[in-house]
Amino acid sequence: MFWSRSKFKRACTHRYLDMWAFMSLHPTNIELLQRLKKADDQRFGANMDVCGTVSERNISDDSWDSTHIVGIRSDIWHPNPEQRERILRKILEDREEWLRKKHQRTGKLSVAKEREFQLRLEKDRVMSTQPEEIENRRLVLKLFRTGTKRINWAGSIEEVVSREVHNSLGAKRTMLSFASSLERYEYMTLLQENNRLLRFPSTFSFSYYDDKQDRMCYLRIKRKWVSIGADYSIVGQNGIVGEIDGALIGLGYNAHILIYDEMLADDRRFVDLITLFATTVGYQSVLRRSVKRRIRAVRAGLSVQSAIEDEEFDLLRNPRSRGAA
């Protein structure tokens, strides 16, 4: 306890993240949703739910202010059966067309060939896929400022499924990938998990361009070897610049976010970026199971691009190609 208090005192910025396990049952959710539906910012739509709050410590008088709320895209985190059935229909149509061309490239099949082809369809593993086998869950979290009368978007973090699949196939273990966008910041920040050898703690790496100081920062978010909760060290070029101190007991994921580096602590967008990463921690075990199911689907021959959202394709699109001749 003494050690924890001493590191809290060292922090130039100190936030507390409270993520809820049961969103619909949280007493403040109804009030926040009513405010958000009336908000000017269109980034919070009808398909989102409030799933957490952020408070920031005022170091000068040691008081706490509620500064942010966290929203989750509930429609793609809990996709409905109709979405899976629609994806499956597209997969089966593509598979049948591919098998038909493989059976006979051109022309109409004869009666005997058609019978043979139908038997082949019945034995095909992909054609017997059930809707519940389709994995189209994706995590999208958004951070909103609530310190003023208006509720404004501060940043988003979203899972990049296609990157997770190819990295996991290459590494032969699940690797998570996130992309974050921040208010009034023209660069996309990619956070990539890149170390899960045997039982080594996971490590995420990313680069952050500090446009005010005109410097590129290379950082790692390393899970600690020994910790009571889910704890991470934020490591820069010159050592530890911050920590995410997860709580031992909680219905969701609760954590203290501490930034020790004065320059980074003064950069609100960087602190929001670390806060957004911390919001994903409580979901990461579910994400790993989801990635494993996608890997199994790839190896079984399922067309996984059909289970990737158009929004992710927009995220991957090359902006320079639009102006190219």
Side-chain angles (χ1 to χ4, degrees):
M1 177 65 79
F2 175 79
W3 178 77
S4 295
R5 287 179 179 175
S6 67
K7 69 178 182 179
F8 291 166
K9 289 180 180 179
R10 285 193 297 121
C12 300
T13 293
H14 182 179
R15 284 182 176 179
Y16 183 72
L17 172 68
D18 179 13
M19 297 293 287
W20 311 334
F22 306 103
M23 292 175 287
S24 59
L25 301 179
H26 200 281
T28 61
N29 201 19
I30 296 176
E31 178 187 352
L32 287 170
L33 280 172
Q34 289 175 345
R35 288 183 65 192
L36 284 163
K37 301 306 179 187
K38 299 176 183 178
D40 295 332
D41 199 319
Q42 297 301 311
R43 287 182 176 85
F44 195 102
N47 54 6
M48 293 199 73
D49 285 315
V50 179
C51 61
T53 59
V54 179
S55 301
E56 188 160 339
R57 177 172 165 254
N58 189 326
I59 296 176
S60 60
D61 60 3
D62 199 25
S63 61
W64 287 88
D65 297 319
S66 179
T67 57
H68 297 78
I69 59 171
V70 183
I72 185 171
R73 277 281 306 274
S74 51
D75 59 327
I76 55 177
W77 181 245
H78 295 294
N80 57 50
E82 290 76 16
Q83 289 175 302
R84 287 195 171 99
E85 289 174 2
R86 185 172 61 251
I87 291 170
L88 180 59
R89 283 197 298 272
K90 179 66 168 59
I91 289 174
L92 297 183
E93 288 172 4
D94 291 346
R95 181 68 172 180
E96 182 173 352
E97 182 180 356
W98 182 80
L99 287 173
R100 186 177 290 275
K101 287 180 179 179
K102 191 175 180 181
H103 194 68
Q104 183 173 307
R105 288 189 175 276
T106 57
K108 186 177 179 180
L109 297 179
S110 64
V111 175
K113 284 273 190 180
E114 181 66 33
R115 189 182 304 113
E116 182 182 336
F117 176 66
Q118 292 301 323
L119 289 173
R120 186 172 182 177
L121 284 182
E122 291 176 10
K123 294 178 180 179
D124 186 75
R125 167 65 184 86
V126 175
M127 297 303 295
S128 62
T129 304
Q130 299 301 310
E132 57 270 17
E133 295 180 67
I134 300 298
E135 182 56 68
N136 63 325
R137 181 196 296 265
R138 181 168 172 261
L139 181 65
V140 176
L141 295 162
K142 299 185 180 184
L143 188 67
F144 297 88
R145 284 195 310 276
T146 58
T148 60
K149 292 182 180 179
R150 296 176 61 184
I151 295 177
N152 296 316
W153 175 78
S156 302
I157 191 166
E158 48 192 298
E159 184 185 8
V160 187
V161 170
S162 54
R163 187 181 296 271
E164 288 177 334
V165 171
H166 77 71
N167 281 331
S168 299
L169 283 168
K172 297 183 179 179
R173 57 183 60 86
T174 57
M175 294 291 187
L176 302 182
S177 297
F178 301 103
S180 177
S181 55
L182 301 167
E183 180 192 26
R184 298 180 183 177
Y185 186 66
E186 59 180 313
Y187 305 101
M188 184 74 70
T189 304
L190 300 175
L191 299 98
Q192 176 62 53
E193 187 176 24
N194 46 31
N195 179 19
R196 291 194 68 240
L197 181 63
L198 301 177
R199 294 188 177 274
F200 277 60
S202 64
T203 298
F204 289 82
S205 62
F206 66 101
S207 58
Y208 174 78
Y209 178 59
D210 184 347
D211 51 3
K212 294 179 182 178
Q213 302 293 328
D214 190 24
R215 62 170 183 165
M216 183 65 78
C217 303
Y218 299 97
L219 301 112
R220 291 168 292 154
I221 303 177
K222 298 174 61 178
R223 184 156 182 173
K224 295 183 180 180
W225 278 91
V226 180
S227 60
I228 297 175
D231 297 344
Y232 294 81
S233 296
I234 306 164
V235 184
Q237 292 100 305
N238 299 316
I240 295 176
V241 299
E243 293 184 61
I244 300 172
D245 185 1
L248 172 62
I249 300 174
L251 293 177
Y253 177 71
N254 306 328
H256 292 273
I257 299 164
L258 311 166
I259 306 298
Y260 304 132
D261 184 280
E262 289 185 12
M263 287 186 179
L264 291 175
D266 287 338
D267 187 340
R268 296 289 92 186
R269 291 176 305 198
F270 177 79
V271 180
D272 287 343
L273 174 64
I274 299 301
T275 303
L276 282 163
F277 172 81
T279 64
T280 71
V281 173
Y283 297 95
Q284 287 185 14
S285 60
V286 179
L287 293 180
R288 294 192 195 285
R289 292 195 293 270
S290 176
V291 173
K292 286 179 180 178
R293 285 193 288 269
R294 289 181 184 272
I295 295 299
R296 286 198 295 269
V298 171
R299 289 172 176 161
L302 287 170
S303 181
V304 292
Q305 69 266 22
S306 301
I308 294 175
E309 281 193 313
D310 291 340
E311 289 182 8
E312 180 168 333
F313 281 113
D314 291 339
L315 191 69
L316 299 172
R317 188 168 285 117
N318 179 8
R320 297 180 180 178
S321 64
R322 297 173 185 176

